[in-house]
Amino acid sequence: DLSGSITTPDVKLNLGGEFIKESTATTFLRQRGYGWLLEVEDDDPEDSKPLLEELDIDLKDIYYKIRCVLMPMPSLGFNRQVVRDNPDFWGPLAVVLFFSMISLYGQFKVVSWIITIWIFGSLTIFLLARVLGGEVAYGQVLGVIGYSLLPLIVIAPVLLVVGSFEVVSTLIKLFGVFWAAYSAASLLVGEEFKTKKPLLIYPIFLLYIYFLSLYTGV
């Protein structure tokens, strides 16, 4: 008669100077060539980026561009060309969405309509600029048109206060439209247009009149 006992192999791993005892199942898998199932990948530093960095959102850059749009006078010393030369998507989208929110009047369809006008209105300005010989990208036009809605957002609470005074309200609306159109045109209408500047400034002006009409309900 044969008798005896089989003991569990005592296998130890040397990890960083420390010995760790493996379980029977682990040893079995390693002996059969399935040790790769037990391997643990090191954490990739690329996967631990902050959410804002992952989405390519630079809040400081957006804040600087907002100031460039709201204060378009060259004497203030802002490098306003960064709004055009370094376009982003999230900043203009936030401005357009905020403008849509204050334009709601209980109708949520206004939000999608304003976003549609922003996208296709910018596309129209882009195509016209290219036809006139301007070297501008669609992303640049989209960013400039979106950011330049800020003056209309600024005058919105003022219109709520002086809404009963028709003359004052009309003057503030004109001021807001001129402010927005000037801010956008000064960035998009460069020297390459020469004598054709009015052909691009005029549709930009009309686009912001239409944006204001969506807010006031005209």
Side-chain angles (χ1 to χ4, degrees):
D1 295 335
L2 298 177
S3 63
S5 62
I6 299 177
T7 59
T8 303
D10 189 9
V11 180
K12 297 182 179 180
L13 293 180
N14 185 358
L15 298 176
E18 297 181 358
F19 288 94
I20 301 176
K21 185 176 181 179
E22 285 190 341
S23 65
T24 305
T26 301
T27 305
F28 177 80
L29 289 174
R30 291 190 185 279
Q31 290 176 348
R32 297 298 186 275
Y34 296 103
W36 55 272
L37 293 173
L38 306 172
E39 294 179 358
V40 179
E41 295 183 359
D42 295 333
D43 292 335
D44 190 354
E46 294 284 333
D47 297 334
S48 58
K49 288 183 178 180
L51 179 60
L52 293 180
E53 185 178 346
E54 194 73 28
L55 296 176
D56 196 22
I57 300 176
D58 189 344
L59 296 180
K60 291 183 178 179
D61 182 59
I62 293 174
Y63 174 65
Y64 185 81
K65 290 177 180 178
I66 289 175
R67 295 172 66 191
C68 290
V69 171
L70 291 179
M71 294 176 282
M73 289 73 70
S75 58
L76 295 177
F78 290 109
N79 180 21
R80 301 187 65 248
Q81 288 301 315
V82 73
V83 182
R84 169 178 170 169
D85 298 337
N86 186 26
D88 65 290
F89 176 74
W90 297 107
L93 178 62
V95 174
V96 173
L97 286 177
F98 187 66
F99 180 75
S100 302
M101 291 297 110
I102 66 175
S103 304
L104 277 178
Y105 288 118
Q107 298 180 358
F108 286 96
K109 62 182 180 181
V110 175
V111 177
S112 60
W113 183 241
I114 289 178
I115 293 176
T116 302
I117 295 301
W118 169 49
I119 293 175
F120 287 97
S122 299
L123 179 61
T124 303
I125 301 297
F126 163 71
L127 294 176
L128 184 58
R130 298 293 292 190
V131 169
L132 295 176
E135 295 295 332
V136 63
Y138 176 60
Q140 294 175 326
V141 178
L142 198 67
V144 170
I145 295 297
Y147 273 118
S148 296
L149 273 174
L150 285 167
L152 300 186
I153 295 176
V154 171
I155 68 169
V158 182
L159 291 177
L160 293 176
V161 176
V162 301
S164 57
F165 303 97
E166 186 175 351
V167 176
V168 179
S169 178
T170 302
L171 290 176
I172 292 176
K173 291 175 184 178
L174 289 176
F175 172 73
V177 170
F178 275 108
W179 185 3
Y182 173 78
S183 183
S186 60
L187 290 168
L188 293 177
V189 184
E191 292 299 326
E192 67 267 23
F193 292 100
K194 297 181 181 179
T195 58
K196 300 176 182 179
K197 288 183 179 181
L199 296 178
L200 191 59
I201 295 175
Y202 182 65
I204 292 175
F205 181 73
L206 291 181
L207 181 60
Y208 286 107
I209 289 180
Y210 189 70
F211 274 123
L212 183 64
S213 69
L214 291 175
Y215 167 70
T216 58
V218 178

